Amino acid sequence: MFAVHRMATSHSLSSSVLLSSPSSSRTPPIRALSAAKRLVSSVPRRSAASELGGLGVRSKTRSGVSLVRCAVATESTQSARTSQAESLEETQKVEEERIVLPTNESSDRLLRIRHTCAHVMAMAVQKLFPDAKVTIGPWIDNGFYYDFDMEPLTDKDLKRIKKEMDRIIGKNLPLVREEVSRDEAQRRITAMNEPYKMEILGSIKEEPITIYHIGNEWWDLCAGPHVESTGNINRKAVELESVAGAYWRGDEKRPMLQRIYGTAWENEKQLKAYLHFKEEAKRRDHRRIGQDLDLFSIQEEAGGGLVFWHPKGAIIRHIIEDSWKRIHMEHGYDLLYTPHVARAHLWKTSGHLDFYKENMYDQMNIEDDLYQLRPMNCPYHILVYKRKLHSYRDFPIRVAELGTVYRYELSGSLHGLFRVRGFTQDDAHIFCLEDQIRSEIRGVLDLTERILLQFGFSKYEVNLSTRPEKAVGDDDIWDKATTALREALDDKGWSYQIDEGGGAFYGPKIDLKIEDALGRKWQCSTIQVDFNLPQRFDITYVDSNLEKKRPIMIHRAVLGSLERFFGVLIEHYAGDFPLWLSPIQARILPVTDNQLKFCNEVARKLKENSVRAEVCHGERLPKLIRNAEKQKIPLMAVVGPKEVETGTVTVRSRFGGSSGV
Ligand SMILES: [Zn+2]
Ligand SMILES: [Zn+2]
């Protein structure tokens, strides 16, 4: 959307390029809670995620932050189980004050501040580093960035740059708009020897070209908007956060640039609240916790974006999968297992080779036939449907699979468990009659709620997306299906927003975001009606008049993918999983090795009773206790001579002290 230089909405550059900052693709919108444990009101925002659907194109969530401070108290509102997950130390951090941070969407002033900050930073950089070439610098969630072609920067440089920015802000220089012809812009850019600026000028289609001056000292190609003068920025509400390498235009064949990220707010109080939130988010980073608790890894030797689930992560996944399968069977789903590859021909039929190719890996040749790793499970489930003739009496047919898929992602966009190349969708497809759509969707909503609640997610943001301009299927069926989705949501009693025209081309959909303990929102569940694939695969059933008809197909996922959901879970609980998910539920600690035999006996009995227990010894007791705490193990039993004598153990809960003998 706009960016410093070049850009700007009025110049209608492709917004996707400018929008995609790493921070916006990774970080979900943030909101946090107050000590009073109330939710901050949320800002509606658009999202379109069709990870699942037939030919969905994945899009990023634009995130506005709204958030706040004190993450912490929130979990206790969610369930007794989650409240367990809070440590004392966290609770002490709870602050009374509640701040709702504005977003770029909610505050035009803030957006102008951030946009202006990007220019001011570029001006400061060129003052200090005259050889630095400017490129682009958009506002983003929480702040702004700017890319420069220059020597690598250090943290020390950032401090100098911020100081120079403060000076520019202090001078209260006006931002003055000027319109020039393309030739004039070219002449000035040539004189300054700014090759990137020239390239940007080339991509601006409209004339005149707009330029913004900061005082008489510096200018940039831009279409605004800005604050009137640099003095409108509060220097105490601005911080330069980090510097990172970024390829020009995100293209690894183009030069590597220095990207400086900054955060900017309307006032100091907001900045503080944001920094507090950021710190809390960092503490919960699933990549760090994943390593500390030995849950998973991504190994260079195997390649980026490919996840190794270690024993402790794998047991959690097993528990999730187990419960997921059980609940699905209770809700009338049949389980499937299907292959990870298929003939390319299948992907031609499905349309993926024509419309989804950039997300798919190269084909492999097997006996002169081309095969393809699957990016989606849907065509397989259709093949299972097609194995026999169906009558209207068979419906609804619900099939579910924890289906692993592989999608091409640029290495630069990979991010822990959140953006990977191989992942397992908790996928399912429902084949039904038109007049069953409503009840089927309602059933999916119930099942979704049941599954999400057990993980402590009770707050959702729901979006219903309707027919886009370009779509397959006639108006009548779109109307029917959209009405069915709406009625199902109304039945369920959930409030939702309508995203007019935001549906996939193949059908309307419902997306659901869950809110984590920090108030951040994560797109996980999606339910999509599909009028396209049934037609492409020519699937049919026989109706009561013995005529062939086309069934309705619904794609849906509750967790999204196990990898990403696991990442969300780790951050939600900060690694402090509730008892039922804890990889090790109980650790038994002998005071001396004399009690070891008894301890092993206790552990064996616990395991026989499906309690995940282990014995730890070989260190002094206080160290053993500390280790167990570090590993966030919920229950501990210390065994001394007295316990051995009486054949008992005293159980201590990590959260609630002694739980008795
Ligand atoms: Zn600007
Ligand atoms: Zn599907």
Side-chain angles (χ1 to χ4, degrees):
M1 5 220 216
F2 358 94
V4 162
H5 288 150
R6 14 331 313 266
M7 17 307 268
T9 36
S10 65
H11 291 325
S12 73
L13 257 200
S14 134
S15 63
S16 62
V17 177
L18 296 165
L19 263 183
S20 56
S21 71
S23 78
S24 68
S25 59
R26 285 176 194 159
T27 331
I30 310 164
R31 288 184 315 123
L33 294 186
S34 67
K37 298 172 183 172
R38 266 170 307 154
L39 263 184
V40 176
S41 73
S42 77
V43 181
R45 57 185 76 75
R46 271 192 69 162
S47 97
S50 47
E51 298 261 335
L52 242 208
L55 293 169
V57 176
R58 166 138 38 139
S59 76
K60 289 157 194 153
T61 328
R62 307 243 243 61
S63 47
V65 167
S66 357
L67 140 44
V68 203
R69 113 181 304 179
C70 118
V72 206
T74 63
E75 290 179 345
S76 59
T77 58
Q78 308 210 349
S79 71
R81 191 183 275 143
T82 36
S83 69
Q84 249 194 358
E86 296 171 42
S87 68
L88 284 175
E89 159 206 356
E90 278 174 322
T91 317
Q92 283 159 1
K93 280 205 258 164
V94 171
E95 292 169 50
E96 291 309 315
E97 196 172 5
R98 177 175 113 148
I99 294 184
V100 179
L101 287 179
T103 64
N104 293 330
E105 290 76 27
S106 72
S107 168
D108 179 59
R109 176 161 170 252
L110 180 60
L111 181 147
R112 287 167 183 266
I113 287 171
R114 288 174 176 168
H115 189 171
T116 310
C117 276
H119 291 294
V120 169
M121 180 168 75
M123 179 173 167
V125 166
Q126 292 200 309
K127 270 241 147 81
L128 299 171
F129 305 90
D131 294 335
K133 302 292 175 209
V134 291
T135 68
I136 62 161
W139 70 74
I140 53 174
D141 299 329
N142 310 326
F144 58 92
Y145 72 77
Y146 207 115
D147 289 349
F148 304 93
D149 191 354
M150 66 187 302
E151 73 228 51
L153 291 165
T154 62
D155 286 351
K156 221 170 143 195
D157 294 327
L158 290 192
K159 286 208 178 81
R160 284 174 65 210
I161 294 165
K162 175 61 171 47
K163 240 186 176 166
E164 183 59 30
M165 287 174 73
D166 290 349
R167 222 177 49 79
I168 296 166
I169 292 167
K171 284 163 88 175
N172 195 19
L173 302 170
L175 279 97
V176 182
R177 179 186 159 101
E178 183 190 10
E179 292 185 352
V180 300
S181 67
R182 181 173 302 276
D183 288 350
E184 175 60 14
Q186 250 163 16
R187 198 185 59 70
R188 292 191 198 179
I189 294 170
T190 308
M192 292 165 67
N193 184 25
E194 287 281 9
Y196 299 94
K197 215 175 252 208
M198 194 62 95
E199 190 175 329
I200 289 153
L201 179 67
S203 64
I204 299 174
K205 299 282 171 271
E206 300 88 346
E207 263 190 88
I209 305 297
T210 57
I211 279 176
Y212 272 87
H213 297 267
I214 300 183
N216 298 320
E217 300 171 39
W218 195 84
W219 64 269
D220 212 342
L221 285 173
C222 188
H226 308 109
V227 293
E228 296 84 64
S229 65
T230 58
N232 292 105
I233 299 168
N234 179 344
R235 66 185 172 79
K236 288 190 174 156
V238 179
E239 226 179 69
L240 297 188
E241 298 183 283
S242 61
V243 58
Y247 291 109
W248 170 232
R249 296 295 197 206
D251 181 346
E252 61 198 73
K253 292 180 197 87
R254 311 289 308 265
M256 170 70 86
L257 308 170
Q258 294 291 301
R259 173 173 296 176
I260 305 177
Y261 285 103
T263 186
W265 299 90
E266 294 163 344
N267 55 52
E268 209 180 338
K269 205 165 150 192
Q270 288 175 3
L271 175 66
K272 273 201 175 144
Y274 164 71
L275 293 176
H276 176 84
F277 168 84
K278 212 174 94 170
E279 194 185 300
E280 185 58 19
K282 194 171 158 197
R283 189 180 73 81
R284 291 168 180 262
D285 190 318
H286 72 278
R287 294 167 300 177
R288 211 203 65 206
I289 294 176
Q291 195 168 14
D292 290 351
L293 300 185
D294 193 19
L295 301 173
F296 72 92
S297 62
I298 290 167
Q299 308 202 20
E300 214 33 65
E301 199 173 344
L306 302 168
V307 181
F308 288 77
W309 296 71
H310 300 179
K312 286 181 184 163
I315 187 73
I316 296 178
R317 174 167 171 164
H318 168 75
I319 295 162
I320 296 172
E321 289 189 351
D322 225 36
S323 128
W324 186 91
K325 287 179 189 169
R326 191 173 37 76
I327 292 174
H328 276 74
M329 289 191 285
E330 283 172 24
H331 282 248
Y333 286 77
D334 293 318
L335 297 181
L336 297 181
Y337 294 93
T338 60
H340 291 206
V341 290
R343 291 174 59 213
H345 176 75
L346 181 73
W347 303 104
K348 187 80 195 157
T349 308
S350 69
H352 288 93
L353 274 182
D354 292 322
F355 302 108
Y356 200 70
K357 198 160 199 272
E358 72 276 13
N359 296 82
M360 296 165 71
Y361 289 104
D362 281 351
Q363 294 168 357
M364 54 193 124
N365 192 319
I366 301 176
E367 292 180 342
D368 289 333
D369 206 351
L370 291 173
Y371 282 71
Q372 180 87 56
L373 265 176
R374 69 172 169 191
M376 297 206 186
N377 307 305
C378 333
Y380 296 82
H381 292 191
I382 291 177
L383 294 188
V384 172
Y385 176 91
K386 284 183 81 164
R387 77 193 184 280
K388 61 178 186 185
L389 285 174
H390 289 284
S391 121
Y392 68 99
R393 289 194 193 86
D394 298 342
F395 294 126
I397 293 170
R398 309 184 190 108
V399 289
E401 176 179 13
L402 293 165
T404 303
V405 297
Y406 299 88
R407 293 187 190 168
Y408 191 94
E409 296 281 358
L410 293 172
S411 51
S413 67
L414 299 174
H415 179 74
L417 295 174
F418 290 162
R419 192 63 91 79
V420 292
R421 286 176 170 158
F423 54 95
T424 301
Q425 292 183 315
D426 68 315
D427 211 350
H429 295 93
I430 297 169
F431 300 92
C432 66
L433 305 172
E434 275 177 33
D435 60 12
Q436 292 172 331
I437 299 177
R438 175 177 167 177
S439 59
E440 284 309 300
I441 300 290
R442 175 61 207 269
V444 173
L445 297 177
D446 289 342
L447 173 136
T448 299
E449 185 180 39
R450 181 174 168 197
I451 291 177
L452 293 177
L453 275 179
Q454 70 175 351
F455 294 105
F457 298 111
S458 58
K459 298 216 154 51
Y460 318 125
E461 180 183 296
V462 183
N463 268 286
L464 168 63
S465 305
T466 63
R467 183 186 173 127
E469 225 163 89
K470 270 195 171 174
V472 298
D474 56 43
D475 289 351
D476 180 53
I477 185 67
W478 270 88
D479 281 352
K480 269 190 193 153
T482 310
T483 304
L485 297 193
R486 192 176 285 137
E487 287 172 350
L489 284 168
D490 291 339
D491 278 358
K492 181 73 186 156
W494 282 357
S495 59
Y496 54 95
Q497 290 152 9
I498 295 185
D499 183 1
E500 284 300 344
F505 75 89
Y506 49 80
K509 62 173 181 168
I510 294 170
D511 290 319
L512 186 145
K513 287 183 201 157
I514 55 176
E515 186 172 296
D516 76 3
L518 261 192
R520 297 175 297 183
K521 295 197 175 163
W522 305 89
Q523 163 82 53
C524 290
S525 320
T526 179
I527 309 169
Q528 310 181 355
V529 183
D530 189 341
F531 310 128
N532 179 50
L533 285 182
Q535 194 182 332
R536 282 185 162 269
F537 281 91
D538 191 24
I539 58 173
T540 56
Y541 67 92
V542 178
D543 75 3
S544 53
N545 300 320
L546 299 178
E547 278 174 37
K548 272 191 170 182
K549 290 275 173 61
R550 190 88 68 213
I552 294 289
M553 180 177 185
I554 298 168
H555 311 261
R556 43 112 295 186
V558 177
L559 308 175
S561 86
L562 291 174
E563 286 74 8
R564 186 161 171 283
F565 187 75
F566 188 41
V568 173
L569 262 191
I570 293 171
E571 301 208 356
H572 177 59
Y573 288 119
D576 246 327
F577 298 106
L579 188 62
W580 71 288
L581 279 175
S582 283
I584 305 290
Q585 295 171 309
R587 200 173 259 188
I588 301 152
L589 311 173
V591 175
T592 71
D593 278 359
N594 292 339
Q595 290 88 42
L596 195 52
K597 194 168 153 238
F598 178 75
C599 286
N600 286 330
E601 180 64 10
V602 173
R604 193 182 57 78
K605 282 198 178 145
L606 287 172
K607 282 186 201 158
E608 277 172 14
N609 287 280
S610 303
V611 177
R612 295 183 293 279
E614 65 181 15
V615 179
C616 270
H617 65 106
E619 303 268 11
R620 285 168 36 82
L621 189 60
K623 178 101 193 275
L624 292 176
I625 291 174
R626 258 202 321 278
N627 287 347
E629 261 162 15
K630 256 198 192 150
Q631 289 293 306
K632 302 181 196 274
I633 291 165
L635 300 173
M636 253 181 274
V638 175
V639 174
K642 201 177 116 218
E643 279 77 14
V644 176
E645 197 185 306
T646 52
T648 60
V649 291
T650 303
V651 179
R652 277 180 59 85
S653 155
R654 191 166 127 58
F655 309 103
S658 174
S659 300
V661 177

